[in-house]
């Protein structure tokens, strides 16, 4: 599904959000269908850390899609939060596509890229002669989004002075061009996105609390890619087909080891990093199969974010399992050996403090005491 970039769309949050309002009817689609950003310039996009594709396959993503459809049916302002590269702009476009304003324009602005000196003119427009170089009157992004949705990306990077002006526009539902006195009424819906913790920014005085409440009417949280592993395979297959087609070659397949490694990786760069990894692998692969060594994974940072340590741990556990193979009767199973060793190391590290050891292991003190009793370091209840 492709969404045009030259469309525009915008909306306000005047009325209360009614979650029981049915979303507009839409044709059923496959869960594995990938939503893409249109690739400009003959199929090429400028380098970016943004996600260019999104899929709702994982259970968490399906729950997100359901919330998108509920919120899209209203006129409430939407705040999308999530890490860079998780697909926040694509979520915003999906909100627009599922809303009654879908036939209207969708206008996307990166607030972090707005020069402070030009922000007023860019957002609100200007009249002829309003400043040096203003040879013609021009509508701003707000007016361009009339009847549709205005997407304010990286809203957390907007300066405090512009936050004040944005708040006034949201309250008045009107905009005054630079050099003009007459307000122009707006019929626009606002969707904002940020990778900044706005609650902390408010507490630190970097973001206006009243603006935060205006924007945070309907909140959508886009989880990191590592937290929705069910989306990895359909995205991988999509990028394999995309870059194989661009290279004029058959679509390669992933070996079991390669696919396993992709699922174990932590994806700090989220979907954009996954796309770059598959692109690199398609270029590097020497046959019709992509092996694990063809994957460019920075430091092999697996799901715990400590790639080298995870590899060493996995290797040690594999050695234990290899040693257990062929033993007819094991005095202590591999699981018990690992469990026993981990509990003892935690107790040693905390000098026998059960509360601290339990916290270090991420378990309750009662669970730790059960383990210590099983291993004979504490007496059983009847023996106390």
């Amino acid at each position: 599904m492709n969404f045009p970039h030259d469309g525009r769309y915008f909306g306000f949050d005047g009325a209360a959000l009614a979650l029981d309002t049915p979303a507009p009817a839409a044709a059923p689609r496959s869960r594995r269908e990938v939503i893409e950003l249109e690739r400009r310039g003959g199929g090429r996009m400028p380098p970016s850390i943004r996600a260019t594709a999104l899929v709702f396959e994982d259970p968490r993503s399906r729950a997100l899609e359901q919330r998108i459809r509920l919120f899209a049916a209203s006129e409430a302002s939407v705040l999308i939060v999530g890490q860079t590269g998780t697909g926040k702009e694509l979520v915003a476009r999906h909100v627009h596509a599922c809303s009654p304003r879908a036939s209207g324009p969708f206008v996307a602005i990166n607030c972090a890229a707005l020069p402070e000196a030009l922000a007023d003119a860019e957002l609100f427009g200007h009249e002829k002669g309003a400043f040096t170089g203003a040879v013609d009157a021009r509508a701003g992004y707000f007016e361009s989004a009339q009847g549709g949705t205005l997407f304010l990306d990286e809203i957390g990077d907007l300066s405090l002075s512009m936050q004040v002006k944005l708040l006034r526009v949201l309250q008045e539902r009107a905009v005054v061009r630079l050099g003009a006195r007459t307000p122009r009424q707006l019929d626009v819906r606002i969707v904002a996105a940020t990778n900044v913790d706005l609650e902390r920014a408010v507490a630190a005085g970097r973001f206006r609390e009243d603006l935060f409440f205006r924007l945070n009417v309907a909140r959508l949280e886009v989880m990191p890619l590592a937290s929705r592993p069910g989306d990895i395979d359909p995205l991988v297959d999509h990028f394999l087909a995309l870059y194989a087609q661009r290279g004029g070659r058959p679509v390669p397949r992933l070996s079991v080891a390669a696919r396993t490694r992709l699922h174990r990786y932590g994806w700090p760069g989220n979907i954009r990093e996954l796309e770059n990894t598959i692109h690199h692998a398609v270029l590097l692969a020497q046959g019709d199969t992509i092996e694990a060594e063809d994957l460019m994974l920075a430091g092999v940072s697996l799901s715990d974010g400590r790639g080298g340590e995870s590899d060493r741990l996995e290797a040690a556990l594999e050695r234990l399992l290899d040693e257990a193979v062929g033993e007819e009767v094991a005095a202590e199973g591999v699981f018990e050996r690992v469990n026993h060793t981990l509990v003892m190391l935690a107790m040693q590290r905390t000098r026998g403090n059960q509360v601290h050891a339990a916290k270090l292991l991420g378990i309750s003190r009662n669970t730790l005491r059960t383990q210590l009793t099983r291993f004979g370091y504490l007496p059983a209840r009847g023996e106390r």
Side-chain angles (χ1 to χ4, degrees), residues 185-202:
Q185 296 301 309
L186 294 173
D187 173 24
V188 180
R189 182 185 196 175
I190 289 289
V191 177
T194 182
N195 60 4
V196 174
D197 187 332
L198 290 186
E199 286 90 342
R200 289 188 179 182
V202 168

Side-chain angles (χ1 to χ4, degrees), residues 10 12 56 59 70 80 182 292 324 367:
F10 173 97
F12 283 108
F56 299 103
L70 287 171
I80 305 169
T182 304
T367 300

Side-chain angles (χ1 to χ4, degrees), residues 217-272:
V217 179
R219 187 184 184 99
L220 294 171
E221 183 174 0
V222 187
M223 302 299 293
L225 181 59
S227 298
R228 40 188 171 109
D231 291 345
I232 292 177
D233 280 336
L235 286 169
V236 166
D237 295 339
H238 168 74
F239 292 132
L240 282 173
L242 173 67
Y243 288 108
Q245 181 184 23
R246 286 191 181 185
R249 55 172 294 180
V251 179
R253 69 177 189 88
L254 282 175
S255 68
V256 174
R259 199 171 286 271
T260 299
R261 174 157 291 193
L262 290 174
H263 277 272
R264 290 181 176 177
Y265 185 67
W267 300 114
N270 295 296
I271 297 174
R272 187 60 183 178

Side-chain angles (χ1 to χ4, degrees), residues 63-380:
L64 173 64
E65 185 183 29
Q66 184 177 16
R67 289 175 66 85
I68 288 172
R69 291 186 176 276
L70 287 171
F71 293 160
S74 76
E75 285 293 304
S77 293
V78 177
L79 179 63
I80 305 169
V81 297
Q83 296 177 2
T84 298
T86 50
K88 296 188 294 296
E89 181 175 343
L90 286 163
V91 169
R93 290 178 179 275
H94 200 47
V95 169
H96 170 67
C98 295
S99 75
R101 294 173 173 264
S103 59
F106 180 97
V107 176
I109 309 166
N110 186 341
C111 295
L114 280 175
E116 183 70 22
L118 300 177
D120 274 349
E122 291 292 317
L123 288 174
F124 312 128
H126 61 80
E127 296 293 344
K128 181 179 179 180
F131 53 86
T132 303
V135 294
D136 294 302
R138 196 182 72 172
Y141 287 120
F142 274 85
E143 287 184 71
S144 298
Q146 188 77 351
T149 301
L150 181 64
F151 175 53
L152 299 173
D153 197 9
E154 305 300 349
I155 188 72
D157 293 327
L158 202 62
S159 69
L160 283 171
S161 61
M162 288 307 303
Q163 290 176 33
V164 173
K165 296 173 182 178
L166 174 60
L167 178 63
R168 182 173 182 83
V169 170
L170 296 182
Q171 290 172 337
E172 302 295 332
R173 300 192 185 188
V175 65
V176 179
R177 291 183 180 182
L178 288 179
R181 295 184 178 181
T182 304
R184 295 170 181 264
Q185 296 301 309
L186 294 173
D187 173 24
V188 180
R189 182 185 196 175
I190 289 289
V191 177
T194 182
N195 60 4
V196 174
D197 187 332
L198 290 186
E199 286 90 342
R200 289 188 179 182
V202 168
R206 297 191 306 271
F207 200 85
R208 292 184 60 92
E209 185 178 42
D210 43 9
L211 178 58
F212 171 70
F213 289 138
R214 274 278 174 179
L215 296 173
N216 194 37
V217 179
R219 187 184 184 99
L220 294 171
E221 183 174 0
V222 187
M223 302 299 293
L225 181 59
S227 298
R228 40 188 171 109
D231 291 345
I232 292 177
D233 280 336
L235 286 169
V236 166
D237 295 339
H238 168 74
F239 292 132
L240 282 173
L242 173 67
Y243 288 108
Q245 181 184 23
R246 286 191 181 185
R249 55 172 294 180
V251 179
R253 69 177 189 88
L254 282 175
S255 68
V256 174
R259 199 171 286 271
T260 299
R261 174 157 291 193
L262 290 174
H263 277 272
R264 290 181 176 177
Y265 185 67
W267 300 114
N270 295 296
I271 297 174
R272 187 60 183 178
E273 185 182 9
L274 174 64
E275 179 177 359
N276 290 341
T277 298
I278 298 303
H279 189 185
H280 176 270
V282 170
L283 294 174
L284 194 65
Q286 294 298 314
D288 59 355
T289 301
I290 293 176
E291 301 292 347
E293 53 268 23
D294 296 326
L295 300 174
M296 180 184 62
L297 298 178
V300 195
S301 60
L302 301 181
S303 57
D304 64 357
R306 302 180 178 182
E309 295 179 20
S310 293
D311 277 349
R312 290 193 293 273
L313 176 60
E314 184 175 344
L317 293 175
E318 286 181 352
R319 284 197 299 273
L320 283 175
L321 292 172
D322 289 340
E323 292 171 5
V325 173
E327 294 182 5
E328 294 183 1
V329 178
E332 186 179 26
V334 173
F335 181 81
E336 285 297 296
R337 288 178 62 187
V338 172
N339 198 16
H340 188 174
T341 302
L342 189 59
V343 168
M344 289 305 96
L345 287 174
M347 290 294 289
Q348 291 173 14
R349 177 65 62 89
T350 59
R351 298 182 179 182
N353 188 307
Q354 294 179 20
V355 174
H356 293 168
K359 184 176 180 180
L360 184 63
L361 293 170
I363 59 178
S364 68
R365 186 185 179 190
N366 287 338
T367 300
L368 176 63
R369 291 179 64 85
T370 299
Q371 300 290 325
L372 292 172
T373 300
R374 189 165 83 249
F375 296 138
Y377 294 98
L378 288 178

